[in-house]
PDB file of all heavy atoms in Angstrom:
ATOM      1  N   GLY S   1      26.940   1.704   0.033  1.00  0.00           N
ATOM      2  CA  GLY S   1      26.593   1.634   1.449  1.00  0.00           C
ATOM      3  C   GLY S   1      25.703   2.780   1.853  1.00  0.00           C
ATOM      4  O   GLY S   1      25.748   3.860   1.255  1.00  0.00           O
ATOM      5  N   THR S   2      24.896   2.579   2.887  1.00  0.00           N
ATOM      6  CA  THR S   2      23.978   3.629   3.318  1.00  0.00           C
ATOM      7  C   THR S   2      24.702   4.777   4.010  1.00  0.00           C
ATOM      8  O   THR S   2      24.225   5.916   3.990  1.00  0.00           O
ATOM      9  CB  THR S   2      22.912   3.052   4.258  1.00  0.00           C
ATOM     10  OG1 THR S   2      23.550   2.436   5.390  1.00  0.00           O
ATOM     11  CG2 THR S   2      22.068   2.005   3.558  1.00  0.00           C
ATOM     12  N   THR S   3      25.854   4.511   4.630  1.00  0.00           N
ATOM     13  CA  THR S   3      26.597   5.589   5.293  1.00  0.00           C
ATOM     14  C   THR S   3      27.304   6.458   4.268  1.00  0.00           C
ATOM     15  O   THR S   3      27.244   7.689   4.338  1.00  0.00           O
ATOM     16  CB  THR S   3      27.606   5.016   6.301  1.00  0.00           C
ATOM     17  OG1 THR S   3      26.932   4.119   7.188  1.00  0.00           O
ATOM     18  CG2 THR S   3      28.235   6.129   7.126  1.00  0.00           C
ATOM     19  N   THR S   4      27.975   5.840   3.305  1.00  0.00           N
ATOM     20  CA  THR S   4      28.652   6.623   2.268  1.00  0.00           C
ATOM     21  C   THR S   4      27.642   7.374   1.409  1.00  0.00           C
ATOM     22  O   THR S   4      27.933   8.478   0.931  1.00  0.00           O
ATOM     23  CB  THR S   4      29.514   5.716   1.384  1.00  0.00           C
ATOM     24  OG1 THR S   4      28.753   4.562   1.010  1.00  0.00           O
ATOM     25  CG2 THR S   4      30.769   5.262   2.118  1.00  0.00           C
ATOM     26  N   GLN S   5      26.482   6.806   1.221  1.00  0.00           N
ATOM     27  CA  GLN S   5      25.460   7.493   0.435  1.00  0.00           C
ATOM     28  C   GLN S   5      25.061   8.821   1.071  1.00  0.00           C
ATOM     29  O   GLN S   5      24.667   9.766   0.383  1.00  0.00           O
ATOM     30  CB  GLN S   5      24.235   6.599   0.271  1.00  0.00           C
ATOM     31  CG  GLN S   5      23.180   7.173  -0.672  1.00  0.00           C
ATOM     32  CD  GLN S   5      21.997   6.237  -0.836  1.00  0.00           C
ATOM     33  OE1 GLN S   5      22.103   5.036  -0.579  1.00  0.00           O
ATOM     34  NE2 GLN S   5      20.872   6.776  -1.253  1.00  0.00           N
ATOM     35  N   ALA S   6      25.197   8.901   2.393  1.00  0.00           N
ATOM     36  CA  ALA S   6      24.855  10.142   3.094  1.00  0.00           C
ATOM     37  C   ALA S   6      25.781  11.288   2.721  1.00  0.00           C
ATOM     38  O   ALA S   6      25.491  12.450   3.016  1.00  0.00           O
ATOM     39  CB  ALA S   6      24.889   9.907   4.601  1.00  0.00           C
ATOM     40  N   MET S   7      26.924  10.980   2.062  1.00  0.00           N
ATOM     41  CA  MET S   7      27.827  12.040   1.607  1.00  0.00           C
ATOM     42  C   MET S   7      27.277  12.817   0.423  1.00  0.00           C
ATOM     43  O   MET S   7      27.635  13.987   0.220  1.00  0.00           O
ATOM     44  CB  MET S   7      29.180  11.441   1.176  1.00  0.00           C
ATOM     45  CG  MET S   7      30.127  11.068   2.256  1.00  0.00           C
ATOM     46  SD  MET S   7      31.720  10.554   1.537  1.00  0.00           S
ATOM     47  CE  MET S   7      32.292  12.106   0.806  1.00  0.00           C
ATOM     48  N   THR S   8      26.479  12.171  -0.402  1.00  0.00           N
ATOM     49  CA  THR S   8      26.166  12.722  -1.724  1.00  0.00           C
ATOM     50  C   THR S   8      25.576  14.141  -1.713  1.00  0.00           C
ATOM     51  O   THR S   8      25.953  14.951  -2.568  1.00  0.00           O
ATOM     52  CB  THR S   8      25.240  11.769  -2.503  1.00  0.00           C
ATOM     53  OG1 THR S   8      24.052  11.499  -1.738  1.00  0.00           O
ATOM     54  CG2 THR S   8      25.949  10.452  -2.788  1.00  0.00           C
ATOM     55  N   PRO S   9      24.693  14.500  -0.773  1.00  0.00           N
ATOM     56  CA  PRO S   9      24.180  15.876  -0.819  1.00  0.00           C
ATOM     57  C   PRO S   9      25.255  16.935  -0.559  1.00  0.00           C
ATOM     58  O   PRO S   9      25.084  18.089  -0.944  1.00  0.00           O
ATOM     59  CB  PRO S   9      23.131  15.892   0.306  1.00  0.00           C
ATOM     60  CG  PRO S   9      22.790  14.469   0.548  1.00  0.00           C
ATOM     61  CD  PRO S   9      24.052  13.719   0.295  1.00  0.00           C
ATOM     62  N   PHE S  10      26.352  16.535   0.072  1.00  0.00           N
ATOM     63  CA  PHE S  10      27.388  17.493   0.451  1.00  0.00           C
ATOM     64  C   PHE S  10      28.520  17.587  -0.570  1.00  0.00           C
ATOM     65  O   PHE S  10      29.497  18.299  -0.357  1.00  0.00           O
ATOM     66  CB  PHE S  10      27.949  17.117   1.833  1.00  0.00           C
ATOM     67  CG  PHE S  10      26.876  16.948   2.871  1.00  0.00           C
ATOM     68  CD1 PHE S  10      26.529  15.685   3.339  1.00  0.00           C
ATOM     69  CD2 PHE S  10      26.175  18.043   3.358  1.00  0.00           C
ATOM     70  CE1 PHE S  10      25.523  15.517   4.279  1.00  0.00           C
ATOM     71  CE2 PHE S  10      25.167  17.890   4.297  1.00  0.00           C
ATOM     72  CZ  PHE S  10      24.840  16.622   4.760  1.00  0.00           C
ATOM     73  N   LEU S  11      28.364  16.886  -1.687  1.00  0.00           N
ATOM     74  CA  LEU S  11      29.382  16.925  -2.743  1.00  0.00           C
ATOM     75  C   LEU S  11      29.018  17.863  -3.880  1.00  0.00           C
ATOM     76  O   LEU S  11      29.864  18.174  -4.718  1.00  0.00           O
ATOM     77  CB  LEU S  11      29.591  15.512  -3.314  1.00  0.00           C
ATOM     78  CG  LEU S  11      30.112  14.449  -2.352  1.00  0.00           C
ATOM     79  CD1 LEU S  11      30.135  13.089  -3.052  1.00  0.00           C
ATOM     80  CD2 LEU S  11      31.507  14.810  -1.839  1.00  0.00           C
ATOM     81  N   VAL S  12      27.780  18.323  -3.895  1.00  0.00           N
ATOM     82  CA  VAL S  12      27.275  19.022  -5.081  1.00  0.00           C
ATOM     83  C   VAL S  12      27.942  20.374  -5.321  1.00  0.00           C
ATOM     84  O   VAL S  12      27.943  20.872  -6.455  1.00  0.00           O
ATOM     85  CB  VAL S  12      25.744  19.198  -5.007  1.00  0.00           C
ATOM     86  CG1 VAL S  12      25.066  17.834  -4.994  1.00  0.00           C
ATOM     87  CG2 VAL S  12      25.337  20.009  -3.788  1.00  0.00           C
ATOM     88  N   ASP S  13      28.530  20.959  -4.294  1.00  0.00           N
ATOM     89  CA  ASP S  13      29.134  22.280  -4.455  1.00  0.00           C
ATOM     90  C   ASP S  13      30.644  22.230  -4.635  1.00  0.00           C
ATOM     91  O   ASP S  13      31.302  23.280  -4.641  1.00  0.00           O
ATOM     92  CB  ASP S  13      28.799  23.166  -3.242  1.00  0.00           C
ATOM     93  CG  ASP S  13      27.304  23.474  -3.152  1.00  0.00           C
ATOM     94  OD1 ASP S  13      26.674  23.618  -4.218  1.00  0.00           O
ATOM     95  OD2 ASP S  13      26.782  23.547  -2.034  1.00  0.00           O
ATOM     96  N   VAL S  14      31.214  21.036  -4.779  1.00  0.00           N
ATOM     97  CA  VAL S  14      32.657  20.919  -4.991  1.00  0.00           C
ATOM     98  C   VAL S  14      32.948  21.094  -6.477  1.00  0.00           C
ATOM     99  O   VAL S  14      32.486  20.289  -7.297  1.00  0.00           O
ATOM    100  CB  VAL S  14      33.183  19.551  -4.511  1.00  0.00           C
ATOM    101  CG1 VAL S  14      34.689  19.458  -4.723  1.00  0.00           C
ATOM    102  CG2 VAL S  14      32.838  19.341  -3.041  1.00  0.00           C
ATOM    103  N   PRO S  15      33.720  22.115  -6.861  1.00  0.00           N
ATOM    104  CA  PRO S  15      33.959  22.358  -8.287  1.00  0.00           C
ATOM    105  C   PRO S  15      34.807  21.262  -8.938  1.00  0.00           C
ATOM    106  O   PRO S  15      35.694  20.689  -8.317  1.00  0.00           O
ATOM    107  CB  PRO S  15      34.734  23.689  -8.288  1.00  0.00           C
ATOM    108  CG  PRO S  15      34.490  24.292  -6.935  1.00  0.00           C
ATOM    109  CD  PRO S  15      34.329  23.132  -6.005  1.00  0.00           C
ATOM    110  N   GLU S  16      34.490  20.978 -10.198  1.00  0.00           N
ATOM    111  CA  GLU S  16      35.278  20.076 -11.043  1.00  0.00           C
ATOM    112  C   GLU S  16      35.553  18.737 -10.358  1.00  0.00           C
ATOM    113  O   GLU S  16      36.664  18.218 -10.375  1.00  0.00           O
ATOM    114  CB  GLU S  16      36.594  20.749 -11.436  1.00  0.00           C
ATOM    115  CG  GLU S  16      36.400  22.043 -12.210  1.00  0.00           C
ATOM    116  CD  GLU S  16      37.715  22.704 -12.570  1.00  0.00           C
ATOM    117  OE1 GLU S  16      38.760  22.039 -12.497  1.00  0.00           O
ATOM    118  OE2 GLU S  16      37.695  23.897 -12.922  1.00  0.00           O
ATOM    119  N   LEU S  17      34.516  18.159  -9.808  1.00  0.00           N
ATOM    120  CA  LEU S  17      34.643  16.909  -9.071  1.00  0.00           C
ATOM    121  C   LEU S  17      34.298  15.718  -9.953  1.00  0.00           C
ATOM    122  O   LEU S  17      33.333  15.758 -10.727  1.00  0.00           O
ATOM    123  CB  LEU S  17      33.712  16.923  -7.853  1.00  0.00           C
ATOM    124  CG  LEU S  17      33.670  15.649  -6.994  1.00  0.00           C
ATOM    125  CD1 LEU S  17      35.034  15.402  -6.345  1.00  0.00           C
ATOM    126  CD2 LEU S  17      32.577  15.752  -5.929  1.00  0.00           C
ATOM    127  N   THR S  18      35.098  14.659  -9.835  1.00  0.00           N
ATOM    128  CA  THR S  18      34.787  13.383 -10.479  1.00  0.00           C
ATOM    129  C   THR S  18      34.582  12.335  -9.385  1.00  0.00           C
ATOM    130  O   THR S  18      35.422  12.195  -8.490  1.00  0.00           O
ATOM    131  CB  THR S  18      35.924  12.929 -11.404  1.00  0.00           C
ATOM    132  OG1 THR S  18      36.105  13.899 -12.447  1.00  0.00           O
ATOM    133  CG2 THR S  18      35.601  11.573 -12.040  1.00  0.00           C
ATOM    134  N   VAL S  19      33.474  11.619  -9.458  1.00  0.00           N
ATOM    135  CA  VAL S  19      33.155  10.592  -8.470  1.00  0.00           C
ATOM    136  C   VAL S  19      33.099   9.228  -9.166  1.00  0.00           C
ATOM    137  O   VAL S  19      32.350   9.038 -10.121  1.00  0.00           O
ATOM    138  CB  VAL S  19      31.810  10.862  -7.771  1.00  0.00           C
ATOM    139  CG1 VAL S  19      31.473   9.724  -6.800  1.00  0.00           C
ATOM    140  CG2 VAL S  19      31.855  12.188  -7.021  1.00  0.00           C
ATOM    141  N   VAL S  20      33.915   8.320  -8.679  1.00  0.00           N
ATOM    142  CA  VAL S  20      33.905   6.929  -9.134  1.00  0.00           C
ATOM    143  C   VAL S  20      33.129   6.113  -8.101  1.00  0.00           C
ATOM    144  O   VAL S  20      33.362   6.260  -6.901  1.00  0.00           O
ATOM    145  CB  VAL S  20      35.344   6.379  -9.262  1.00  0.00           C
ATOM    146  CG1 VAL S  20      35.323   4.921  -9.706  1.00  0.00           C
ATOM    147  CG2 VAL S  20      36.161   7.238 -10.220  1.00  0.00           C
ATOM    148  N   THR S  21      32.220   5.265  -8.562  1.00  0.00           N
ATOM    149  CA  THR S  21      31.440   4.486  -7.598  1.00  0.00           C
ATOM    150  C   THR S  21      31.068   3.124  -8.155  1.00  0.00           C
ATOM    151  O   THR S  21      30.940   2.952  -9.379  1.00  0.00           O
ATOM    152  CB  THR S  21      30.160   5.237  -7.167  1.00  0.00           C
ATOM    153  OG1 THR S  21      29.497   4.514  -6.121  1.00  0.00           O
ATOM    154  CG2 THR S  21      29.206   5.431  -8.332  1.00  0.00           C
ATOM    155  N   ASN S  22      30.909   2.162  -7.258  1.00  0.00           N
ATOM    156  CA  ASN S  22      30.375   0.851  -7.633  1.00  0.00           C
ATOM    157  C   ASN S  22      28.947   0.692  -7.133  1.00  0.00           C
ATOM    158  O   ASN S  22      28.418  -0.419  -7.105  1.00  0.00           O
ATOM    159  CB  ASN S  22      31.253  -0.281  -7.089  1.00  0.00           C
ATOM    160  CG  ASN S  22      31.177  -0.398  -5.574  1.00  0.00           C
ATOM    161  OD1 ASN S  22      31.049   0.606  -4.863  1.00  0.00           O
ATOM    162  ND2 ASN S  22      31.274  -1.613  -5.057  1.00  0.00           N
ATOM    163  N   SER S  23      28.321   1.801  -6.769  1.00  0.00           N
ATOM    164  CA  SER S  23      26.960   1.792  -6.243  1.00  0.00           C
ATOM    165  C   SER S  23      25.998   2.424  -7.240  1.00  0.00           C
ATOM    166  O   SER S  23      26.149   3.602  -7.600  1.00  0.00           O
ATOM    167  CB  SER S  23      26.888   2.564  -4.918  1.00  0.00           C
ATOM    168  OG  SER S  23      25.541   2.830  -4.556  1.00  0.00           O
ATOM    169  N   LEU S  24      25.005   1.674  -7.688  1.00  0.00           N
ATOM    170  CA  LEU S  24      24.007   2.242  -8.587  1.00  0.00           C
ATOM    171  C   LEU S  24      23.162   3.291  -7.870  1.00  0.00           C
ATOM    172  O   LEU S  24      22.749   4.284  -8.480  1.00  0.00           O
ATOM    173  CB  LEU S  24      23.114   1.128  -9.136  1.00  0.00           C
ATOM    174  CG  LEU S  24      23.801   0.073 -10.003  1.00  0.00           C
ATOM    175  CD1 LEU S  24      22.775  -0.916 -10.549  1.00  0.00           C
ATOM    176  CD2 LEU S  24      24.569   0.718 -11.144  1.00  0.00           C
ATOM    177  N   THR S  25      22.919   3.092  -6.583  1.00  0.00           N
ATOM    178  CA  THR S  25      22.130   4.057  -5.816  1.00  0.00           C
ATOM    179  C   THR S  25      22.831   5.399  -5.751  1.00  0.00           C
ATOM    180  O   THR S  25      22.213   6.461  -5.952  1.00  0.00           O
ATOM    181  CB  THR S  25      21.883   3.530  -4.392  1.00  0.00           C
ATOM    182  OG1 THR S  25      21.296   2.230  -4.468  1.00  0.00           O
ATOM    183  CG2 THR S  25      20.952   4.450  -3.629  1.00  0.00           C
TER     184      THR S  25
END
């Protein structure tokens, strides 16, 4: 989704993070 995609720049500084997604974008 375009709204959830807006989260991605704000996740880069979270240590030891695993992200599961069904979005290729």
Side-chain angles (χ1 to χ4, degrees):
T2 58
T3 307
T4 47
Q5 187 178 339
M7 282 186 66
T8 56
F10 307 107
L11 297 175
V12 297
D13 294 325
V14 181
E16 300 179 16
L17 177 64
T18 298
V19 177
V20 179
T21 186
N22 69 325
S23 166
L24 297 184
T25 306

